[in-house]
Amino acid sequence: KPVLITQNIHTELDITNGARGTVVDIILNQAEPPPSRTHRIVDLLHPPAFVLVKLQHSLAPRFGVEPETIIPIRPIKKTIRLNLHENSKKII
């Protein structure tokens, strides 16, 4: 599946906001129960440990014998808190 990097992860290696690639694999959290082999859709209880991504362009070193650059990216979760005044409007 196609993926778009939305943050600057490692600018020196060109793993930056706007970089495009393909999801190669998803490494589940160790606390996650094993997925069912009979269902194609899995509801995760925890965020994945890593998402392995093959980037279209990167200066990152290759691992093992892989011909392409495949990098592990740790998913992040951000919480944003907004305190708005009663009569103010904000577009997010």
Side-chain angles (χ1 to χ4, degrees), residues 43-58:
D43 292 322
L44 298 179
L45 301 174
H46 308 280
F50 294 98
V51 177
L52 298 180
V53 177
K54 177 172 62 173
L55 293 176
Q56 291 177 356
H57 173 73
S58 173

Side-chain angles (χ1 to χ4, degrees), residues 22-81:
T22 305
V23 173
V24 175
D25 200 359
I26 297 174
I27 309 301
L28 298 181
N29 186 308
Q30 290 181 345
E32 194 71 45
S36 168
R37 297 206 181 265
T38 58
H39 295 94
R40 293 190 64 188
I41 298 175
V42 177
D43 292 322
L44 298 179
L45 301 174
H46 308 280
F50 294 98
V51 177
L52 298 180
V53 177
K54 177 172 62 173
L55 293 176
Q56 291 177 356
H57 173 73
S58 173
L59 301 174
R62 292 183 169 91
F63 295 101
V65 295
E66 293 293 331
E68 296 92 8
T69 300
I70 297 174
I71 60 164
I73 297 178
R74 184 182 306 269
I76 60 170
K77 179 180 177 181
K78 287 193 174 186
T79 301
I80 299 172
R81 181 175 297 169

Side-chain angles (χ1 to χ4, degrees), residues 82 84-92:
L82 299 174
L84 301 176
H85 298 290
E86 206 171 295
N87 295 328
S88 65
K89 294 181 182 180
K90 299 285 182 189
I91 297 174
I92 299 176

